[in-house]
Amino acid sequence: MAERELAAFLSVHPANVRYLTGFTGSSGFLLVGPEVAGLVTDFRYREQASEEVPDGLPVWIHGDGWREEVAARLPDVMGEDAGDGSGVGFESDRVTVRDRERLEDAVPEVRWSGVSGLVEELRSRKSDDEVERIRRAARLGDRVLESFLDEVVEGATEAELAAELDYRLRLAGSEGVAFETIVAAGPRSALPHASPSGRPLREGDLVLVDFGARSGGYCSDMTRVFCLGAPEEWQRSLHRSVLRAQQAALERVEPGIEAAAVDGAAREALEEDGLVEHFGHSAGHGIGLEVHEEPSVSARSEDRLREGHVITVEPGAYLEGRGGVRIEDDVVVRPGGAEVITGFPRELREL
Ligand code: ZN
Ligand code: ZN
C-alpha cells in the first residue's frame, strides 16, 4: 500500500477477504488502513463473522448498504494524516463500474485508485497449512475417482457420470466441487472445456475426467483419461506423448524459473511428436482458494515460480473428431523441484 501511495485499501473479492480475515460469508468487504482495519458485512453474518475473524478486527454491520458503511468508516480507517486527495485502492478487476461510481459519489474527496493483484500475489505463495488443505482435497479426489470408475460403463452418459462423481465427492467430505466437473468421451474428449452432454459412452471411447475437490476452502484440480475397452494404437500413442510432455514440464519446475519455461517444456515435447498445434491452452495455473489463481503457467506468462507456489501442470493434445488427452496434476514448488500431490496413477487405464 505504501509503495502505491494508498492510505486505505478496500477488498470486495470473497477469496481475498477470506484469505485476509478468515470470513467465509458471501458478502464481506474489508477496509484496511495504516492502523485500523474492519470488516463490513450485514445482519445475516453478524454471528458468523465474529466467530471467524481474528480478535481485534472489528465487524461493522451495515444497514443501508455496504458502500455507505464504507464511506462512513473510511475517515477513521485512513487515519489522521490522510488529507484530501489521499488514495484509496480497490480491486479493479472485481469492483463494478456502478459500484465505483457510487463509491466516488459517497466519498469524492479521496482518489479512488484501481489496483490489481495486490492480495492475489500474497495468496500465490502458500503456507504449510494451506498446502495441507490442498493436499487433503487432492487425496480425497484420488480416492473418489478410484471408487467412481465402476460407474464408467458403456451406455452411461457424460452428464450422469459427472453427477455421480460430484455426488461421491460430496459424500466423501468435499465442500462441494472446486469447479464444474468435466466428463467428455469419444470425439468430445477433444473439446478441452466440454460440458458433460447426454451422449452415451461407447466401446473404444477415450473418457476424459477433469474435476476438483475442496477442503478447508482450498481446491484441487486433476485430469485423467481412461479408455473404454482396449485402446487402439493412436490412443496409446497420443496418451504417451502427452504424458511425456507433462513429465518434461514437471522436470522444469523449481523456484526462480520463469513459469513460461514450464509451458515451453511441454510444448517442445509435443512438437517432437508433431502434436504441438493440437495443444491450444496453457500448461497450468495456480490453485488455492480459487481454482484459477496466480501464477499463470502459460507461454505469455511473466510470472516466476517461487517456493510455496501450488500450480497445475496439464498439457493436452486434442485431435478434432477423434479424441483428446489431457493429464493434469497439482504440484507444490519446492527448493528441490516439483512435489506432486495428486496421487492417482497416470497411465492410460482400460476400463
Ligand atoms: Zn482441471
Ligand atoms: Zn486446471
Side-chain angles (χ1 to χ4, degrees):
M1 284 169 61
E3 263 171 37
R4 295 174 196 232
E5 298 178 339
L6 299 177
F9 177 68
L10 168 68
S11 179
V12 304
H13 180 40
N16 287 347
V17 172
R18 178 171 186 166
Y19 178 77
L20 294 171
T21 69
F23 177 64
T24 63
S26 62
S27 181
F29 309 89
L30 179 70
L31 263 178
V32 182
E35 309 286 340
V36 187
L39 178 74
V40 173
T41 184
D42 61 75
F43 174 79
R44 294 171 298 166
Y45 292 116
R46 183 196 294 272
E47 202 175 324
Q48 180 185 332
S50 329
E51 278 169 14
E52 289 178 339
V53 308
D55 290 342
L57 184 80
V59 175
W60 298 317
I61 304 297
H62 69 76
D64 303 328
W66 65 270
R67 299 165 212 81
E68 288 71 15
E69 190 69 25
V70 164
R73 299 287 179 179
L74 203 47
D76 283 344
V77 170
M78 290 169 70
E80 291 167 356
D81 298 339
D84 274 8
S86 289
V88 178
F90 63 88
E91 294 147 332
S92 52
D93 36 12
R94 300 291 170 178
V95 167
T96 64
V97 172
R98 173 101 181 97
D99 281 339
R100 181 187 182 155
E101 285 168 1
R102 287 169 72 174
L103 288 166
E104 277 173 343
D105 286 347
V107 196
E109 61 278 14
V110 303
R111 179 174 48 83
W112 289 93
S113 171
V115 292
S116 180
L118 207 56
V119 184
E120 284 79 356
E121 196 193 329
L122 298 175
R123 278 174 46 200
S124 73
R125 295 184 75 184
K126 270 66 180 177
S127 69
D128 291 347
D129 174 61
E130 291 178 288
V131 170
E132 275 320 299
R133 291 172 194 227
I134 300 170
R135 194 192 303 278
R136 275 207 305 272
R139 286 200 178 133
L140 198 149
D142 288 344
R143 268 199 329 270
V144 170
L145 183 59
E146 184 62 54
S147 84
F148 154 84
L149 290 179
D150 292 346
E151 304 291 326
V152 183
V153 293
E154 218 178 323
T157 70
E158 295 169 354
E160 286 163 2
L161 291 172
E164 180 70 31
L165 183 55
D166 291 358
Y167 173 65
R168 290 185 181 219
L169 283 166
R170 279 178 175 268
L171 272 187
S174 178
E175 298 149 6
V177 291
F179 57 91
E180 195 104 349
T181 296
I182 297 173
V183 175
R188 291 180 45 79
S189 60
L191 311 172
H193 252 214
S195 9
S197 74
R199 178 191 180 278
L201 266 54
R202 296 183 200 131
E203 176 84 15
D205 278 352
L206 289 176
V207 184
L208 183 150
V209 183
D210 184 357
F211 72 104
R214 203 183 268 273
S215 177
Y218 286 74
C219 302
S220 67
D221 181 6
M222 176 167 77
T223 309
R224 289 293 183 265
V225 171
F226 305 92
C227 191
L228 203 59
E232 290 178 36
E233 187 41 43
W234 70 270
Q235 292 169 322
R236 279 188 199 286
S237 144
L238 188 63
H239 192 275
R240 216 170 20 237
S241 294
V242 174
L243 191 56
R244 206 168 70 84
Q246 196 209 25
Q247 198 52 41
L250 286 169
E251 280 164 16
R252 294 303 297 275
V253 171
E254 62 175 320
I257 196 173
E258 288 170 352
V262 175
D263 182 283
R267 240 163 264 280
E268 247 167 62
L270 288 170
E271 175 107 66
E272 285 166 19
D273 291 347
L275 286 169
V276 73
E277 69 273 25
H278 300 285
F279 173 36
H281 57 78
S282 61
H285 51 86
I287 53 170
L289 284 168
E290 292 177 283
V291 73
H292 289 121
E293 51 177 73
E294 291 184 16
S296 148
V297 187
S298 71
R300 279 172 306 168
S301 175
E302 292 181 355
D303 298 332
R304 264 180 201 283
L305 295 187
R306 300 178 70 187
E307 190 178 347
H309 275 163
V310 182
I311 59 170
T312 68
V313 177
E314 51 174 308
Y318 310 93
L319 305 180
E320 203 183 321
R322 301 177 80 190
V325 170
R326 176 166 65 256
I327 305 172
E328 174 176 32
D329 284 277
D330 301 342
V331 314
V332 189
V333 181
R334 300 290 195 195
E339 182 201 347
V340 180
I341 57 173
T342 29
F344 197 93
R346 276 175 259 180
E347 70 263 15
L348 179 59
R349 199 197 293 190
E350 178 182 333
L351 299 176

